[in-house]
Amino acid sequence: MAAPGQSQRPTAGGSHGVSERSHEPVLQQFPEAEWDEAAGAIIAPLGQARALAEWLLGQGVDYCSNVTGVDYLEREVKEKVTGEDGKVETVTRTEPGRMDVVYHLYSMRKQTGPLVLKQRTGREHPQVQSLTPVWRSCELQEREVYDLFGVDFTGHPDQRRILMWDEFEGHPMRKDYTEPFDYEWEPTPHDEILDKHQRGKVIV
Amino acid sequence: MSSATATAPNYELIQQDGLDTGLLEVSMGPHHPSTHGVFRMDVKLDGETVVDLSPVFGYLHRNHEKLAENMSYLGSMPFTDRLDYFNSMTNNWAYALAAEKLVEIEVPERAEYLRVIMAELTRLVNHLSLVGFFVNDLGALGTPLLYAFREREKILDLFEQASGARMMCNYFRFGGLRNDVPEGWLDRAREVVDRFPVFLDEYEKLLCENEIILSRTQGVGNLSRDLAISAGITGPMLRASGERYDLRKVDRYGIYDRFQFRVPYSDGDVGDCYDRFIVRMLEMRESIGILKQALDGIEHGPVLGNAPKVFKPKPAEVYGRVEAPKGELGFYLIADGTPKPYRYRVRPPSLINLTVLRDMCLGQKVADAVIILGSIDIVLGEVDR
Amino acid sequence: MTTPNTSPGIDLDDTTRAELERAGVIVSKVDTLYNWARGGSVWPLTFGLACCAIEMIASATSRFDISRFGSEVFRPTPRQADLMIVSGTVTKKMAPQVVRIYNQMPEPKWVIAMGACAISGGPFKQGYNVLKGIDRYIPVDVYLPGCPPRPEAVLQSLNYLQEKIRTQDIQSDPAFTAGRRQYPVPEFTGTDLEPPYNPEVWQPPANPNAQPLEEATA
Amino acid sequence: MSPDLVRDILIATVPLMVIFPTLFAFTTWLERKALARIQNRIGPNKVGVPLTRYGGRFSLFGLGQPLADGIKMLFKENIVPRDADRLFHLLAPILALIPAMLVLCFLPIEFPWTESLLPVQAFLLDGAVIFFFAITGLNTLAIFMAGWASRNKYSLLGGMRAIAQMVSYEIPLVLSAVVVVMMVGSLNAAEIANAQAGWNWFVFTPWGLAAFVIFFIASLAETNRSPFDLPEAESEIIAGYFTEYSGFKFALFFLGEYIAMFAISGLAVTLFLGGGAGPGIATLPWLSAMWFIAKIFALIAVMIWLRGTLPRLRVDQLMGFAWKFLLPLSILNILVAGFAHFIPQENIVSKVAVWVVSLGILYMAAKGLNQLNRPNVRPRDYKYAE
């Protein structure tokens, strides 16, 4: 079974030539950055993402492959905590909702990667630093994250909606987005659709 | 190296007394014969020269990612076919590769060989169609396009015999392939592959040294190597700009390390439409080499590994990528322990290759903008998803 | 393939016509000539939306060759086209353009809804940006199912359309009775298109289990 | 005007108005079939004979196709855009057709029925060649009118392209015709044709060959044929100047374009290919007209062939080709023709010498001009990474 963070290691079908400890120099340079072991990602400190990216570019990380957003709703997490007395307790705690912007970075010259960089922000009025001035490839992808997730990129040269029309309200890739309801009755309805049918606007 | 951004040429309008001159704003698309679907370019023209250009996307935004997050992992396999609808096989492979990282599954030997065969046949199909459409954009009234489609049909027949569908194959599964190829398929494939170079010779004779094509494409739509890397350009377009980055060599996914093949790239820093066109022609020859080796090396055996009945991976984040014919096609999956992916993201090469469209088109003629777009090789299903 | 007898005014059965023809008399109407002409020269619009467009192009290539039926003249401008093949998913962002292009086409004009997406939204039906069938806004003459349909199916749908044209009567043809058919172009709102469908051409199917609106929303 | 004259004019011109539109219909069919064969297709073959119940069974290679297209277009709705200039929108297709039809009358085709009608034989006009160029120039105006009146940006671009292209190519076209006029010493089309009686076609002289090639290339541009079909470039500006034309107006443009093709090919045949000269006309005089039309169709076949093979030029290359290549070459050709004329060509040696020297000069000039214009365009080498 794949352990968390396995994506970093070379596997039979996986990436080749990946330095397993590629995140350590980053953490030395930016002590405030966190290393998320489960996701195998560096979480850039707030407000320093741009500086971190420029430093990485100087280190030869010249190719930003993938930029995307991830929306985490507020949720309750059950954790098993081993107390001081050795008793295992199940503790429920509320994990606040958050918005991640994920960058997959590679080096074309050195042929290494990926290095996963995340910018983490809150769900309400999410705002992160744009890395478009560092890697041009972020330009359209950050616009897409703005469009579909509503993340505001400071320093983006041309932040507009990209996929939806300009008058569109809301950000459809968010987990709590409710779709406009335009379902009509069909002879073999889907359970989930029927449920939506009950909740939403009814055309028929 | 700082990020390279091209600056627009400074066009000063001739303003004379009593003469009201201005820029002509033309919206090319979403319905336009040469935008390869429903792409739109808002172009500002000074005479015939492109002064400003802004691409408009989203006319084919089919909510692929949202739909995939609401269905099982395997359920979105048929949807990946419809991303880049020329290359359903490589799309399948990229998705299977990402999902196979979530759950450890061994892919059987025969399946690996068939995957390579399918992917390289797909590359032939894609490059053929691209060259056909590209020359069509140059104004050749379809003849090269129809020659290309004639050969494409032969390969689509192979796909149909193997998977049951011409275009939307849905042939890959996590841990292998849906079914084995029928009896005699490999011989038929060998026949098609053996005959292909003959066609390619004819095609090159028709196109590659044509005076009009040479003068229309050389020096048009230049893309420097630094800008290409910074803008995340991948695939033949990157190699045409002089960078030898091919995921088949870098990642060595599947069993590509077993085959002898070369990666053609342009010698220099120009990266114009001609380079992009010829690099694709040369790649087809290499693909034929890989296909011949794969068809020789394949052996009997199962085609589906020990895939679990219910695909329910443990929480993890993976990013799997392959060298699709248009560039790096990646799938970013976040599993949260349920049978549905929590986050499903496609890294579309077509969209990211369009980042530099404006830089390449500025200062060119409007007819060049059309062929530059054609040489980027976009498919709107993938651009807008 | 025989031309169907389309003479509502003069009742001339097939045997009589055959006898007359044997005697060297061809009995016909202007309708027949005109329908023969416009059925044999259906010029499609170069208009591709998504995956199906590739199969539409494939139907014009050497192996299938739509030109045998006189339809290889793909016109790039709607002003000169007779047939719009809606080939692929119509998204909400694209729908106003499709309606506008339909409005720009001169009469008589026909529409083929090609592929599951154009008919009903197909596999993408649940998407927030996908129109659930182009027939909500414009009248469709031939529905061509498939995902995508094979090129042979495109040719067959063209044959069905020609068959339909041959049985049309100029006096009752909507192309000639009501001027150019122009339908309102839907407009973008915050979430959806307004109006969500054109009641002139489409009505939602009756739901046998329909509840009154208040109950359903309550 | 006496009634006789009116009758003679009608007899002389109406057949032209019938023959060439019929040939036009046949040419569209021929073009579609030929393109289909170039592209490994079959082409139209299902549209059969109308009006009979068994029409579908006798398709006659799809020869009914142009008839079907014509009838359909005749009844197609005519749309005038709301903001268009209605008058010019209407006039443009008519103006595109009329000059093309007019110049047909000046082609020295010896139809059997024109022999008795010498007074109105239009081709006796002394300035026929000049008249030809003057009248075909009007076509430019029609195309620009169409582009302007449509109120469509693509139409406007197409109209502008058409003006630039046609005005530029008119010059090499005329200059290459000047050679023939010099040699014959007359502007009369019939005299030019007669001067080439037998096998003395001007295309069989070195300067005539060069002039014919220049004339043919320029005439492709004049009639907007591929590879110079920029005013209606489909992949760039939709349909160019006739983007907004539907129904019969579009058909008129189409007709005008093909008639212009006939006209300019007819002029090429008159100037270089011996007019109606050909084997057998001494015994059967009416064969002369057949030969003339056959030669026109030979030229049109080449045009169709080019259309199925070549991509399109870009607008600046198109202009550059006219001004920097064709124009100097056609001027040089006039000089070459002058020298060739004054060198006595009594024996075979001097004839061969004239041929070699003339073509050598022209070839070197063409090479040099080519190098001057496009020095850096050549196939490249590529590297491979292992």
Side-chain angles (χ1 to χ4, degrees):
Chain A
M1 281 294 141
Q6 174 126 14
S7 58
Q8 284 265 310
R9 283 174 212 138
T11 56
S15 301
H16 174 79
V18 178
S19 154
E20 204 174 319
R21 293 280 157 222
S22 56
H23 62 275
E24 280 187 352
V26 184
L27 296 181
Q28 278 168 15
Q29 187 75 20
F30 292 85
E32 287 170 52
E34 290 172 46
W35 170 247
D36 184 350
E37 184 65 39
I42 297 166
I43 296 163
L46 264 181
Q48 287 188 36
R50 176 83 176 274
L52 204 159
E54 270 163 10
W55 181 77
L56 279 175
L57 183 64
Q59 300 294 309
V61 182
D62 49 5
Y63 167 42
C64 173
S65 164
N66 181 34
V67 183
T68 189
V70 189
D71 179 23
Y72 292 96
L73 289 175
E74 184 180 282
R75 58 171 186 161
E76 294 189 336
V77 191
K78 284 182 181 169
E79 276 183 350
K80 283 183 179 168
V81 179
T82 314
E84 286 172 5
D85 50 352
K87 255 171 86 179
V88 180
E89 279 179 51
T90 310
V91 182
T92 311
R93 67 183 169 84
T94 312
E95 201 174 81
R98 63 173 200 267
M99 189 74 77
D100 283 1
V101 181
V102 189
Y103 297 81
H104 285 84
L105 309 173
Y106 289 85
S107 171
M108 263 189 200
R109 301 270 153 86
K110 298 180 188 165
Q111 304 207 339
T112 55
L115 187 67
V116 186
L117 181 69
K118 285 191 179 182
Q119 296 195 63
R120 190 161 282 178
T121 174
R123 285 195 81 241
E124 309 295 323
H125 311 296
Q127 195 181 36
V128 298
Q129 283 186 324
S130 167
L131 302 189
T132 305
V134 187
W135 295 291
R136 263 301 287 285
S137 60
C138 303
E139 184 180 334
L140 296 178
Q141 302 190 72
E142 283 185 346
R143 263 178 80 184
E144 190 185 315
V145 174
Y146 165 74
D147 185 359
L148 301 182
F149 291 90
V151 180
D152 184 21
F153 289 91
T154 53
H156 192 282
D158 181 24
Q159 184 171 297
R160 286 178 292 132
R161 283 196 180 270
I162 180 169
L163 294 177
M164 307 305 291
W165 54 89
D166 290 340
E167 298 91 341
F168 194 78
E169 292 161 5
H171 303 285
M173 279 301 285
R174 286 189 169 216
K175 288 285 178 185
D176 56 355
Y177 175 78
T178 46
E179 294 165 31
F181 201 80
D182 51 0
Y183 164 76
E184 80 271 2
W185 182 82
E186 53 188 49
T188 52
H190 201 265
D191 287 349
E192 211 172 301
I193 302 301
L194 267 184
D195 179 46
K196 281 185 181 173
H197 189 212
Q198 296 294 329
R199 284 191 280 118
K201 185 176 82 185
V202 181
I203 289 183
V204 181
Chain B
M1 183 199 75
S2 67
S3 87
T5 42
T7 45
N10 189 16
Y11 281 94
E12 293 198 350
L13 299 178
I14 309 157
Q15 291 289 353
Q16 295 176 358
D17 289 339
L19 187 66
D20 187 20
T21 61
L23 297 177
L24 186 65
E25 289 181 32
V26 185
S27 161
M28 292 175 83
H31 158 61
H32 188 280
S34 65
T35 50
H36 297 238
V38 284
F39 183 64
R40 176 173 149 201
M41 299 184 278
D42 283 344
V43 189
K44 279 187 191 152
L45 299 176
D46 180 10
E48 288 254 350
T49 312
V50 178
V51 182
D52 194 6
L53 180 145
S54 68
V56 182
F57 306 87
Y59 289 100
L60 197 56
H61 180 45
R62 300 192 279 197
N63 331 120
H64 177 58
E65 290 176 9
K66 188 82 174 177
L67 292 173
E69 284 171 16
N70 287 322
M71 64 175 72
S72 69
Y73 280 91
L74 194 55
S76 34
M77 185 64 92
F79 284 82
T80 60
D81 289 340
R82 287 155 182 83
L83 276 175
D84 174 357
Y85 32 78
F86 280 106
N87 314 322
S88 62
M89 291 287 193
T90 42
N91 299 347
N92 284 176
W93 196 357
Y95 183 47
L97 199 72
E100 280 158 13
K101 282 187 187 177
L102 281 174
V103 173
E104 199 135 302
I105 309 174
E106 190 148 335
V107 183
E109 189 86 337
R110 186 176 172 83
E112 289 278 27
Y113 270 101
L114 281 174
R115 282 181 172 192
V116 170
I117 294 172
M118 294 301 176
E120 294 306 320
L121 284 175
T122 303
R123 203 177 307 278
L124 290 182
V125 168
N126 179 73
H127 287 357
L128 266 182
S129 320
L130 176 270
V131 171
F133 281 118
F134 176 66
V135 185
N136 208 32
D137 286 344
L138 281 167
L141 204 98
T143 305
L145 178 68
L146 295 201
Y147 286 2
F149 266 62
R150 186 185 67 200
E151 298 304 305
R152 176 179 176 264
E153 288 293 334
K154 294 175 186 165
I155 297 173
L156 290 194
D157 275 354
L158 290 177
F159 287 166
E160 191 175 2
Q161 287 160 11
S163 73
R166 281 158 53 84
M167 282 170 69
M168 306 302 172
C169 302
N170 186 16
Y171 189 51
F172 285 45
R173 288 292 176 269
F174 306 144
L177 301 168
R178 195 179 67 211
N179 56 284
D180 203 348
V181 291
E183 212 167 301
W185 188 91
L186 291 172
D187 296 331
R188 285 193 287 272
R190 200 186 304 270
E191 209 171 296
V192 171
V193 171
D194 285 345
R195 279 193 200 156
F196 202 82
V198 181
F199 163 74
L200 219 48
D201 290 340
E202 182 196 38
Y203 213 50
E204 278 181 1
K205 207 189 264 176
L206 177 66
L207 300 178
C208 289
E209 296 188 8
N210 183 318
E211 277 292 319
I212 296 181
I213 290 183
L214 285 178
S215 52
R216 278 295 303 273
T217 54
Q218 292 200 350
V220 170
N222 292 355
L223 177 64
S224 73
R225 184 171 162 182
D226 286 347
L227 180 61
I229 294 174
S230 171
I233 309 298
T234 44
M237 197 171 157
L238 174 71
R239 295 191 279 278
S241 288
E243 177 69 41
R244 54 179 108 172
Y245 191 74
D246 188 325
L247 297 187
R248 291 176 294 176
K249 291 283 189 194
V250 175
D251 278 5
R252 296 175 183 276
Y253 60 92
I255 50 164
Y256 271 113
D257 44 358
R258 294 189 199 173
F259 302 116
Q260 290 285 322
F261 67 100
R262 303 173 300 170
V263 179
Y265 67 100
S266 152
D267 180 21
D269 199 26
V270 185
D272 54 17
C273 288
Y274 184 76
D275 284 338
R276 291 193 275 278
F277 161 56
I278 297 291
V279 161
R280 287 182 173 105
M281 296 292 281
L282 296 175
E283 264 186 26
M284 281 198 268
R285 301 243 178 220
E286 298 302 316
S287 288
I288 292 167
I290 299 176
L291 277 167
K292 281 184 175 160
Q293 293 170 46
L295 285 167
D296 287 340
I298 189 166
E299 281 166 9
H300 283 284
V303 291
L304 193 57
N306 54 340
K309 282 270 183 286
V310 180
F311 196 83
K312 200 173 166 184
K314 289 193 173 163
E317 293 185 12
V318 293
Y319 179 68
R321 53 177 196 165
V322 301
E323 177 77 24
K326 294 186 167 56
E328 172 187 331
L329 177 65
F331 280 82
Y332 174 54
L333 299 174
I334 299 182
D336 63 347
T338 61
K340 296 175 182 177
Y342 186 77
R343 179 78 180 98
Y344 172 102
R345 151 82 180 168
V346 186
R347 189 255 186 220
S350 297
L351 173 72
I352 295 158
N353 289 358
L354 278 175
T355 311
V356 288
L357 178 67
R358 181 172 182 273
D359 306 58
M360 283 154 65
C361 287
L362 287 186
Q364 308 279 3
K365 298 278 180 287
V366 63
D368 292 335
V370 167
I371 64 166
I372 289 169
L373 184 70
S375 73
I376 294 177
D377 189 10
I378 58 165
V379 160
L380 265 292
E382 195 177 63
V383 171
D384 294 340
R385 282 151 293 134
Chain C
M1 202 192 297
T2 57
T3 317
N5 181 5
T6 56
S7 326
I10 317 151
D11 263 347
L12 202 61
D13 57 56
D14 279 359
T15 37
T16 324
R17 276 163 61 99
E19 261 176 46
L20 280 171
E21 247 170 60
R22 215 170 296 134
V25 182
I26 294 172
V27 182
S28 192
K29 296 178 59 178
V30 179
D31 270 10
T32 323
L33 179 67
Y34 179 48
N35 286 342
W36 167 82
R38 59 182 181 165
S41 147
V42 180
W43 291 0
L45 182 66
T46 318
F47 179 54
L49 286 172
C51 331
C52 294
I54 309 302
E55 291 295 62
M56 182 179 83
I57 294 167
S59 75
T61 55
S62 324
R63 190 176 187 182
F64 305 100
D65 195 12
I66 204 169
S67 75
R68 290 177 291 146
F69 307 98
S71 297
E72 93 276 32
V73 194
F74 279 85
R75 295 309 305 174
T77 152
R79 300 287 188 209
Q80 293 146 18
D82 308 298
L83 167 67
M84 179 157 89
I85 302 180
V86 184
S87 52
T89 319
V90 186
T91 59
K92 285 177 183 166
K93 193 169 179 179
M94 189 64 196
Q97 324 287 342
V98 179
V99 178
R100 198 166 286 143
I101 290 168
Y102 180 81
N103 287 347
Q104 286 173 348
M105 281 166 65
E107 292 285 357
K109 53 189 170 187
W110 298 280
V111 176
I112 291 179
M114 179 183 178
C117 298
I119 294 172
S120 70
F124 300 96
K125 184 166 185 169
Q126 308 309 330
Y128 50 86
N129 190 25
V130 176
L131 188 73
K132 292 156 187 63
I134 189 60
D135 55 359
R136 290 175 173 228
Y137 288 113
I138 55 177
V140 173
D141 291 278
V142 179
Y143 292 89
L144 171 56
C147 190
R150 298 177 60 90
E152 294 96 323
V154 180
L155 298 186
Q156 195 188 16
S157 73
L158 180 72
N159 286 350
Y160 278 141
L161 184 70
Q162 290 177 332
E163 208 63 30
K164 182 174 179 173
I165 293 170
R166 288 209 178 90
T167 54
Q168 267 175 341
D169 177 23
I170 295 181
Q171 284 167 348
S172 62
D173 187 349
F176 295 97
T177 49
R180 179 144 48 97
R181 282 169 286 176
Q182 277 184 316
Y183 296 108
V185 178
E187 282 174 10
F188 293 128
T189 62
T191 51
D192 205 344
L193 292 171
E194 187 60 40
Y197 59 89
N198 182 358
E200 266 183 70
V201 296
W202 189 82
Q203 290 291 341
N207 180 356
N209 311 322
Q211 297 164 348
L213 194 63
E214 301 79 44
E215 282 178 40
T217 46
Chain D
M1 207 185 267
S2 70
D4 276 2
L5 187 64
V6 172
R7 190 203 65 201
D8 290 352
I9 290 173
L10 285 180
I11 293 175
T13 53
V14 168
L16 284 177
M17 306 291 131
V18 177
I19 287 173
F20 279 97
T22 317
L23 285 179
F24 151 73
F26 176 69
T27 313
T28 57
W29 173 85
L30 188 75
E31 177 153 16
R32 286 168 77 167
K33 275 295 212 191
L35 281 179
R37 291 316 302 167
I38 288 175
Q39 298 168 351
N40 284 359
R41 296 186 285 120
I42 298 173
N45 70 347
K46 293 281 181 199
V47 176
V49 183
L51 292 182
T52 69
R53 302 173 66 233
Y54 309 105
R57 292 189 200 168
F58 306 106
S59 60
L60 296 177
F61 314 107
L63 267 173
Q65 191 66 52
L67 183 63
D69 287 341
I71 295 175
K72 182 204 77 177
M73 300 252 251
L74 195 59
F75 289 100
K76 196 92 180 141
E77 188 189 1
N78 168 32
I79 296 179
V80 183
R82 194 175 50 227
D83 290 340
D85 191 325
R86 301 188 77 89
L87 177 65
F88 288 120
H89 194 266
L90 172 71
L91 281 181
I94 301 170
L95 192 59
L97 181 61
I98 287 177
M101 287 293 230
L102 262 180
V103 294
L104 282 180
C105 307
F106 298 91
L107 296 180
I109 312 179
E110 291 176 24
F111 287 115
W113 59 80
T114 50
E115 277 175 30
S116 58
L117 301 166
L118 280 182
V120 292
Q121 258 199 26
F123 52 78
L124 286 187
L125 186 74
D126 274 340
V129 175
I130 295 246
F131 187 84
F132 190 97
F133 292 122
I135 294 292
T136 44
L138 279 178
N139 207 7
T140 320
L141 188 61
I143 286 176
F144 184 66
M145 232 156 102
W148 179 258
S150 295
R151 275 287 187 133
N152 180 313
K153 287 166 182 171
Y154 291 118
S155 302
L156 188 62
L157 277 175
M160 298 304 292
R161 281 180 175 193
I163 285 220
Q165 169 177 336
M166 290 180 157
V167 169
S168 313
Y169 277 87
E170 201 104 299
I171 297 166
L173 191 78
V174 174
L175 284 180
S176 56
V178 160
V179 186
V180 174
V181 176
M182 269 165 56
M183 290 300 173
V184 179
S186 165
L187 284 166
N188 187 322
E191 276 180 32
I192 291 172
N194 289 336
Q196 309 173 61
W199 288 101
N200 297 322
W201 302 0
F202 288 138
V203 75
F204 297 141
T205 58
W207 45 269
L209 183 64
F212 173 65
V213 172
I214 295 170
F215 187 91
F216 187 69
I217 291 173
S219 70
L220 286 177
E222 277 292 295
T223 50
N224 302 332
R225 293 289 299 186
S226 174
F228 305 107
D229 52 347
L230 277 97
E232 50 200 77
E234 178 180 318
S235 62
E236 294 153 26
I237 49 168
I238 315 286
Y241 56 89
F242 55 74
T243 303
E244 291 288 349
Y245 280 87
S246 62
F248 206 64
K249 284 185 191 166
F250 167 60
L252 283 183
F253 266 122
F254 214 53
L255 178 64
E257 199 171 295
Y258 275 81
I259 299 283
M261 264 165 71
F262 287 128
I264 209 142
S265 307
L267 187 64
V269 170
T270 310
L271 292 177
F272 302 104
L273 299 181
I281 51 168
T283 47
L284 294 168
W286 54 268
L287 260 183
S288 161
M290 296 292 111
W291 276 117
F292 201 99
I293 287 174
K295 286 173 191 172
I296 287 181
F297 266 95
L299 290 182
I300 282 175
V302 178
M303 288 182 178
I304 294 172
W305 178 25
L306 290 178
R307 183 166 176 226
T309 330
L310 288 182
R312 190 182 297 126
L313 286 170
R314 199 171 58 210
V315 64
D316 54 332
Q317 292 166 346
L318 176 98
M319 302 299 285
F321 188 62
W323 291 104
K324 296 183 192 162
F325 188 81
L326 288 185
L327 180 62
L329 210 59
S330 53
I331 291 174
L332 183 69
N333 190 39
I334 293 176
L335 296 178
V336 168
F339 285 121
H341 184 69
F342 287 108
I343 291 170
Q345 299 177 35
E346 285 133 4
N347 52 16
I348 191 84
V349 179
S350 65
K351 269 188 184 172
V352 169
V354 166
W355 265 92
V356 169
V357 171
S358 311
L359 284 189
I361 291 170
L362 288 168
Y363 179 77
M364 293 308 289
K367 269 283 180 197
L369 287 169
N370 196 16
Q371 281 302 312
L372 276 178
N373 293 339
R374 298 179 299 103
N376 287 324
V377 173
R378 61 188 160 70
R380 295 177 186 157
D381 290 328
Y382 290 83
K383 276 188 180 171
Y384 290 95
E386 282 299 329

